[in-house]
Amino acid sequence: MKKLNFLIVMDDIASINYKKDTTLAMMWAIAERGHGLAYCGIYDLWLDEGGLFVDKQDVQVFKNPDNFYELSDKKTVNASEFDVILMRKDPPFDMNFLYALHLLEYAKRAGVLVANDPDSVRACNEKLFATQFSEFMSPTIVTAKQSHIRSFIDEHQDVIVKPLDGMGGMGIFRLTANDSNIGSTLEMLTQMQTLPIMAQKYLPKIKDGDKRVLIVGGKVMPFCLARIPQEGETRGNLAAGGRGVAMSLTDAERAVAEKVAPILLKKGLYFVGLDLIGGKITEINVTSPTCVREIDEQCGTTIAVDFIKFIENLLK
């Protein structure tokens, strides 16, 4: 096996959750398989005369919660020194995130494998991209206009509304037809009808969990993580206090995921989190999907290793 040089673009490594972080699992897998490993933030990417440079730090990682990483001094290198760049910066998908994707395009042009593909990440908003598979979704609209959303609520009676750029369950509201807060909620989310949001018919199956299905290199992983809401809570997101329970995919869930997987592979979206409630797609997470650690711990899988093996085979 040829040694590869990996760069991971991510949030401050000192801030990650040792017990749950998926990117750390990827770093362990890279190191265990004998590859070179470096680290940087989005602010360490910069251009000089049309070439991408990186202020990188080599990193060693350990399975020790009290001392899980060690960094070298920063060094500036041409991005072409890397074989693979993994973009693992967490949302929000703001202008800084967008600029980083533009910069990573220069590495891609120089022959570096960038995963997920920066062009596709830009093109595939995690909420809007899901609507390309509307036959597998609950009834959904995207609009900035209160009148359209109110008509949608009147039709379906029980609706979820959410921003198009949210993460971790932030900004998600459940509205029913007799709710007295519809106007103020929609004013806030749409910024007075200037910003489109998503409205979806409420899925009662959320009580069984918002299921994160991981699709790695176009292959549907056999186990998902059901993120089950707390009592009295609409959202199953772990960041919103949901409980994560790993379980096998149902035949129906696998059938939906298998429809999406080849399209992801074709777009260079090699590590993706497909979110399902009651077998219906709610989001397709392409930025920095998580839940590997919980599934591996509960099911004995090695999803991060599978991902790195896929990358190795891609570059053979």
Side-chain angles (χ1 to χ4, degrees):
M1 179 177 62
K2 177 191 171 188
K3 178 180 177 179
L4 300 172
N5 286 320
F6 280 79
L7 172 70
I8 295 195
V9 183
M10 59 185 285
D11 291 302
D12 182 359
I13 194 170
S15 70
I16 67 176
N17 185 328
Y18 174 85
K19 291 183 178 179
K20 293 185 176 182
D21 196 81
T22 289
T23 304
L24 182 58
M26 292 179 179
M27 296 170 91
W28 285 334
I30 290 164
E32 286 166 5
R33 296 188 63 76
H35 301 305
L37 179 59
Y39 145 90
C40 78
I42 58 173
Y43 305 112
D44 296 312
L45 304 171
W46 58 286
L47 288 180
D48 185 4
E49 296 185 8
L52 181 64
F53 288 83
V54 184
D55 296 335
K56 61 107 178 191
Q57 290 174 277
D58 293 331
V59 58
Q60 291 181 281
V61 285
F62 315 103
K63 292 184 177 178
N64 176 354
D66 299 318
N67 177 36
F68 63 89
Y69 70 94
E70 192 173 292
L71 296 173
S72 71
D73 293 335
K74 279 197 176 183
K75 180 182 177 183
T76 299
V77 298
N78 193 301
S80 62
E81 290 195 12
F82 298 103
D83 300 292
V84 186
I85 297 177
L86 302 183
M87 175 50 158
R88 291 289 303 173
K89 170 79 177 70
D90 281 342
F93 195 109
D94 55 13
M95 290 308 297
N96 285 329
F97 198 110
L98 183 62
Y99 292 145
L101 294 175
H102 280 295
L103 293 177
L104 288 171
E105 277 288 327
Y106 288 82
K108 181 182 165 186
R109 287 178 209 156
V112 182
L113 175 64
V114 182
N116 285 330
D117 183 279
D119 187 47
S120 291
V121 173
R122 278 206 311 272
C124 297
N125 173 277
E126 299 189 324
K127 309 286 194 302
L128 286 173
F129 182 36
T131 64
Q132 294 188 26
F133 306 91
S134 59
E135 68 269 32
F136 303 118
M137 296 182 76
S138 175
T140 299
I141 63 168
V142 175
T143 179
K145 291 188 176 180
Q146 272 218 36
S147 59
H148 295 324
I149 301 171
R150 284 180 176 274
S151 296
F152 188 78
I153 294 170
D154 287 342
E155 179 183 357
H156 296 290
Q157 295 293 301
D158 198 348
V159 166
I160 293 291
V161 291
K162 54 189 174 183
L164 295 178
D165 62 350
M167 63 168 286
M170 290 179 64
I172 293 177
F173 294 86
R174 182 180 176 186
L175 298 174
T176 53
N178 59 358
D179 200 313
S180 60
N181 293 312
I182 291 175
S184 58
T185 302
L186 297 183
E187 285 170 7
M188 178 184 66
L189 286 179
T190 66
Q191 297 181 17
M192 301 303 289
Q193 302 192 89
T194 64
L195 185 70
I197 65 169
M198 178 173 279
Q200 293 179 308
K201 181 181 178 181
Y202 175 71
L203 292 166
K205 284 280 190 181
I206 182 63
K207 71 181 191 311
D208 299 325
D210 177 354
K211 296 185 179 180
R212 166 61 53 84
V213 179
L214 291 171
I215 302 176
V216 179
K219 182 180 178 183
V220 179
M221 297 292 101
F223 301 98
C224 65
L225 191 74
R227 297 161 298 175
I228 300 169
Q230 293 185 61
E231 187 70 30
E233 174 62 77
T234 299
R235 304 164 299 169
N237 308 74
L238 300 182
R243 178 169 56 93
V245 180
M247 56 184 67
S248 298
L249 270 63
T250 66
D251 290 344
E253 289 162 352
R254 174 169 283 282
V256 171
E258 294 287 3
K259 292 283 188 181
V260 177
I263 295 164
L264 301 176
L265 184 63
K266 190 174 180 180
K267 288 181 176 290
L269 297 169
Y270 298 139
F271 196 92
V272 174
L274 177 69
D275 289 349
L276 302 174
I277 298 175
K280 301 286 189 182
I281 297 173
T282 58
E283 295 181 24
I284 302 176
N285 293 270
V286 301
T287 50
S288 183
T290 60
C291 298
V292 161
R293 303 284 296 283
E294 294 88 344
I295 296 171
D296 280 354
E297 186 178 308
Q298 295 179 44
C299 301
T301 47
T302 55
I303 297 170
V305 173
D306 294 342
F307 176 52
I308 301 307
K309 286 181 177 177
F310 166 78
I311 295 291
E312 292 168 356
N313 289 329
L314 207 57
L315 291 177
K316 271 186 181 175

